[in-house]
Amino acid sequence: MVPAGVRRALTNWFAPAMTVEDRMFRWLAVLRVVVLGNAVVLVAFRFDNVQRPGLAGACTVAMVAWTAYTVWAYLEPSRRQWPLLVADLALAVSLIAMSPVVKGAGFSATIPGFWVMG
């Protein structure tokens, strides 16, 4: 038996009366999780090349936390306002800007990688 909360969430996820924009944001949530997985694996794989491991870990935790928050926030149309969009962009740009600090001057890839596309 499926719990009522899960059943309601699944029903809402596949509701036929969704607008195109709502569907886009739901699939964007899936994309965010996929590219987050890619970023986390790449940070872990290249962790020995990082000059500041604590900062790399903090950046990774920030990406995980922000992804969880935005997946929730973007699902409700009333929360899709400019402050959320600006904060989303600001974090992505900040993580890119942190890359030379975390990885050193000769870095070849940014900390967030493809995560910024979300």
Side-chain angles (χ1 to χ4, degrees):
M1 175 151 205
V2 178
V6 172
R7 190 175 338 113
R8 188 171 38 254
L10 288 174
T11 302
N12 288 341
W13 185 271
F14 295 104
M18 294 172 91
T19 66
V20 171
E21 183 179 357
D22 291 336
R23 286 190 180 129
M24 180 193 72
F25 277 105
R26 289 190 189 262
W27 285 109
L28 179 61
V30 172
L31 174 67
R32 281 178 179 270
V33 172
V34 169
V35 294
L36 172 67
N38 174 265
V40 169
V41 167
L42 287 177
V43 168
F45 183 71
R46 298 177 179 155
F47 204 71
D48 56 336
N49 295 334
V50 172
Q51 287 187 349
R52 293 186 173 86
L55 201 50
C59 289
T60 305
V61 168
M63 286 189 293
V64 170
W66 187 253
T67 299
Y69 175 72
T70 56
V71 164
W72 168 80
Y74 281 120
L75 290 180
E76 176 60 41
S78 64
R79 291 188 290 256
R80 296 180 205 146
Q81 302 296 321
W82 68 267
L84 179 62
L85 299 171
V86 169
D88 202 5
L89 180 61
L91 181 64
V93 170
S94 297
L95 287 168
I96 291 170
M98 291 287 295
S99 295
V101 175
V102 173
K103 291 187 164 191
F107 74 97
S108 60
T110 63
I111 289 289
F114 290 116
W115 179 83
V116 297
M117 84 167 77

